[in-house]
Amino acid sequence: METNKKPQEISVIADSLGLKEEDYDLYGRYKAKIYINALNNLAGKPNGKIIFCTTINPTPAREGKTTTAIALTDALNLINKKTVLILREPSLGPVFGVRGGAVGGGLAQVLPREDIILHFTGDSHAIGSANNLISAILDNHLYHGNELNIDPRKVILRRAIDMNDRQLRFIISGLGKGHGVPREDGFEITSATEMMATFCLARDLEDLQERIGRMIIAYSYNGRPITVRDLKAQGAAAILLKEALKPNLVQTQGGSPAFIHGGPFGNIAHGCSSLVATQLSLKLSDYVVEEAALGADLGGEKFFDIKCSIGNLRPEVVVMVVSLKALKHHGGIPKKDLDFENLPALRSGMSNLIKHLENIKEVYKLPVVVAINHFPSDSEDEIELIKEECMLLNVKAVVTNGWLKGGEGALELAVEVLREIEEKGGKDFTFAYPLNKNLKDKIEAITSKIYGAQGVNYAPQALKDLEKLEESGFSKYPICIAKTQFSLSDKPNLLGRPQNFRVNVSGARVSAGAGFVVVFAGEIMTMPGLSRMPAAVYISVDNSGKIYGLLD
């Protein structure tokens, strides 16, 4: 199996999309940034069709969502369907923490993979810099008299760094005479910041500047929200993001065009790549394969109810990626035993998949295909069990082998996806809730319809937060529930399809720049830490630039 295939010159990939030299800037030989003006020039072209890839609740066994999305893109291009892939940008935190690159694997990966998972084109650094510039201007304002009457105890904007560093979660800044106003402070990983979420939902640079201006960063002593616009910092922050907002064009190992742009977390934010990358891809291709973070109850729900709502997008079909190992994990089998056939555990774990399939079909009214990401340990009896259970829901399940065979390993999936689009597509697509409902109604729609909860328990602080948000005019915003990715519930150890549970909501806040209300259902870490032996300690490089241990 050849996994070190040399990529084509990126100009060749751009040319295959119909882009001209004046539409992009080269970032070396294998990466390019596309001008936003290229989207304006394509305004008259019809949109392609969105194929959305998601998965069940993630497990330590890994499901293979990104690998499958890449293989499906290559398969569609192999049968002469002009298709573009859209992925999120990896964060350096997981790369050096748990060896996560989110670039696929085997013959189904994006290139140049090491560039992509490291600094890439500098987008994350630019987003962190824009965030930190606003923090610096805010603290400078406090130091020079505090004309806006900001309460230093109620500064909610935190500084950003794209690295796992628990030491920075809670700090005291501004110590020492003449060095600032001492206050409690802290850092978030860049992917968890509102700046990242705002960036990914902006339509263009002017819209981005407007959205940054709306971001609430602190409160005054009398409780008035302080925005970036109050500090007159939105223009400077937007200028730092001028180059970053251009979508990044790379390619798959099979030679398919791929946009990798933006990377908000899937729990604290909406977990989807940039809106401009999606809009551009829709104009440049017949089909767009897009994925979102985590499972269908988080990244999937937010793709539909936030990104599609804000961006006026309509998906045509959903690909639900599963692995037998992951399903057996949901059936209660420990990781060390997942390679062994276990039909009872598989049948039990299927309950998680079935709930997600029901959500896609009954809540969002979309056709869905199950992609079984194949492992050598999979037994034929186990595969047949999945296919039979899916057929009871009138859902086709097909085996894919993108890791070993690339696009050729997903040809059957490609044919089935095209059949679903042709027969029905997304003509009946709808949302989990209407935007004109109040915030509690929208929360309860998500928790009951998508999670299967019997109800919601609101902490007193959550009720106060929601009432204040309603009074402040944020009731028409979509909801972004922050909860564990490992379970349909708000308890990470409740695997499969939990029954008779309620969701506990502890608080809520508005991400006014992004344009949604974040609702907290459990403790969500916005600055991860490193393990005792992080991935970083296994990495080395030689004089030729060859890197060892980065994704091994």
Side-chain angles (χ1 to χ4, degrees):
M1 178 181 61
E2 183 189 12
T3 60
N4 59 348
K5 177 181 175 182
K6 186 176 180 180
Q8 301 178 75
E9 299 277 343
I10 199 62
S11 57
V12 175
I13 302 297
D15 183 64
S16 73
L17 291 172
L19 291 167
K20 302 174 183 177
E21 286 187 14
E22 57 267 28
D23 291 330
Y24 57 88
D25 285 331
L26 295 175
Y27 274 60
R29 298 173 64 185
Y30 307 119
K31 298 168 289 183
K33 273 192 165 292
I34 313 301
Y35 284 101
I36 301 298
N37 284 344
L39 182 57
N40 299 332
N41 298 336
L42 295 165
K45 288 193 64 176
N47 281 344
K49 300 179 185 298
I50 298 175
I51 301 164
F52 180 64
C53 277
T54 187
T55 187
I56 60 175
N57 290 94
T59 71
R62 308 181 80 107
E63 293 69 47
K65 177 180 57 179
T66 303
T67 299
T68 301
I70 295 168
L72 174 58
T73 304
D74 286 342
L76 287 165
N77 280 309
L78 282 174
I79 55 177
N80 297 317
K81 304 296 183 181
K82 190 176 182 182
T83 306
V84 169
L85 172 72
I86 302 180
L87 301 177
R88 293 162 296 121
E89 293 187 49
S91 166
L92 289 179
V95 167
F96 291 113
V98 294
R99 288 194 225 185
V103 290
L107 288 181
Q109 55 183 287
V110 282
L111 304 174
R113 69 172 193 160
E114 290 171 347
D115 287 7
I116 292 167
I117 67 173
L118 294 175
H119 299 286
F120 199 17
T121 58
D123 294 347
S124 290
H125 300 304
I127 291 166
S129 296
N131 181 94
N132 294 341
L133 172 63
I134 296 168
S135 288
I137 292 172
L138 188 154
D139 279 311
N140 186 62
H141 182 89
L142 292 175
Y143 181 75
H144 287 291
N146 194 7
E147 182 182 337
L148 293 171
N149 202 30
I150 297 170
D151 185 345
R153 299 166 302 174
K154 295 181 180 178
V155 174
I156 60 175
L157 178 69
R158 296 165 74 83
R159 286 171 162 81
I161 185 173
D162 193 26
M163 199 62 62
N164 290 5
D165 192 343
R166 67 171 56 83
Q167 193 75 11
L168 296 177
R169 287 174 187 162
F170 301 101
I171 63 174
I172 303 295
S173 64
L175 295 179
K177 186 176 180 180
H179 297 311
V181 175
R183 66 176 182 87
E184 292 184 357
D185 202 352
F187 280 73
E188 294 177 322
I189 193 167
T190 304
S191 297
T193 62
E194 184 182 351
M195 185 64 73
M196 174 65 85
T198 299
F199 172 91
C200 285
L201 288 170
R203 294 178 178 275
D204 51 37
L205 198 56
E206 288 184 0
D207 183 43
L208 178 59
Q209 180 174 264
E210 172 64 25
R211 287 174 175 274
I212 292 172
R214 297 201 303 258
M215 290 172 57
I216 296 172
I217 54 176
Y219 289 88
S220 68
Y221 282 105
N222 61 11
R224 183 178 76 85
I226 306 298
T227 66
V228 174
R229 187 178 293 107
D230 290 326
L231 290 175
K232 299 179 175 60
Q234 69 272 22
I239 284 296
L240 284 175
L241 298 173
K242 180 172 69 72
E243 294 300 306
L245 194 60
K246 301 173 183 176
N248 304 304
L249 177 65
V250 289
Q251 63 192 283
T252 69
Q253 188 156 343
S256 298
F259 284 104
I260 302 182
H261 196 222
F265 271 9
N267 34 34
I268 195 70
H270 62 295
C272 303
S273 58
S274 76
L275 182 58
V276 292
T278 301
Q279 291 172 327
L280 182 61
S281 298
L282 287 169
K283 294 297 183 184
L284 292 173
S285 64
D286 297 324
Y287 298 94
V288 173
V289 176
E290 179 163 359
E291 67 151 27
L294 308 175
D297 58 323
L298 281 175
E301 183 270 321
K302 293 165 186 178
F303 173 78
F304 299 133
D305 292 317
I306 296 178
K307 183 171 180 178
C308 289
S309 176
I310 290 174
N312 193 28
L313 305 173
R314 192 189 84 175
E316 297 290 332
V317 64
V318 175
V319 174
M320 185 71 66
V321 182
V322 300
S323 69
L324 299 184
K325 292 183 178 185
L327 290 172
K328 285 185 280 190
H329 175 84
H330 275 288
I333 300 301
K335 187 175 180 180
K336 63 182 179 64
D337 296 327
L338 293 176
D339 283 337
F340 303 110
E341 181 180 291
N342 192 322
L343 294 174
L346 180 62
R347 189 180 297 276
S348 175
M350 279 286 296
S351 62
N352 188 266
L353 170 61
I354 289 169
K355 174 56 178 165
H356 287 297
L357 294 177
E358 290 174 353
N359 290 346
I360 299 302
K361 290 171 63 70
E362 298 170 11
V363 178
Y364 297 109
K365 311 294 185 186
L366 287 169
V368 57
V369 180
V370 171
I372 304 170
N373 182 32
H374 187 264
F375 283 83
S377 61
D378 296 348
S379 77
E380 287 301 319
D381 287 343
E382 289 175 319
I383 291 171
E384 283 306 310
L385 174 60
I386 293 180
K387 290 182 176 181
E388 290 169 4
E389 292 291 318
C390 288
M391 281 307 300
L392 294 176
L393 296 175
N394 198 27
V395 173
K396 183 73 176 291
V398 300
V399 175
T400 63
N401 201 339
W403 193 93
L404 188 63
K405 298 181 180 180
E408 290 185 0
L411 287 172
E412 184 182 359
L413 175 62
V415 170
E416 190 62 30
V417 164
L418 292 173
R419 186 187 65 79
E420 290 286 358
I421 293 174
E422 184 177 344
E423 290 187 1
K424 182 181 178 183
K427 61 184 177 65
D428 297 328
F429 173 62
T430 188
F431 301 107
Y433 53 83
L435 287 177
N436 60 8
K437 291 286 187 180
N438 65 44
L439 296 177
K440 285 181 68 176
D441 284 347
K442 286 185 272 198
I443 293 167
E444 286 157 21
I446 296 171
T447 56
S448 62
K449 293 180 181 180
I450 306 302
Y451 306 162
Q454 290 191 327
V456 180
N457 299 325
Y458 294 97
Q461 184 61 50
L463 293 173
K464 291 178 183 177
D465 291 344
L466 291 169
E467 182 179 4
K468 187 175 181 180
L469 290 169
E470 292 273 2
E471 292 172 352
S472 300
F474 297 115
S475 62
K476 298 297 189 289
Y477 276 19
I479 297 295
C480 177
I481 295 186
K483 76 168 186 74
T484 178
Q485 66 266 38
F486 299 115
S487 172
L488 282 161
S489 75
D490 57 344
K491 302 290 191 300
N493 59 334
L494 293 181
L495 303 180
R497 185 174 187 169
Q499 303 290 326
N500 304 317
F501 70 95
R502 297 176 68 86
V503 171
N504 300 288
V505 171
S506 59
R509 76 180 190 207
V510 65
S511 289
F516 52 69
V517 169
V518 181
V519 174
F520 295 92
E523 292 294 323
I524 300 298
M525 188 65 65
T526 58
M527 172 50 80
L530 294 171
S531 63
R532 182 180 294 273
M533 292 294 287
V537 304
Y538 300 100
I539 296 171
S540 62
V541 61
D542 63 23
N543 280 334
S544 71
K546 183 174 176 59
I547 301 172
Y548 301 90
L550 186 58
L551 286 175
D552 296 348

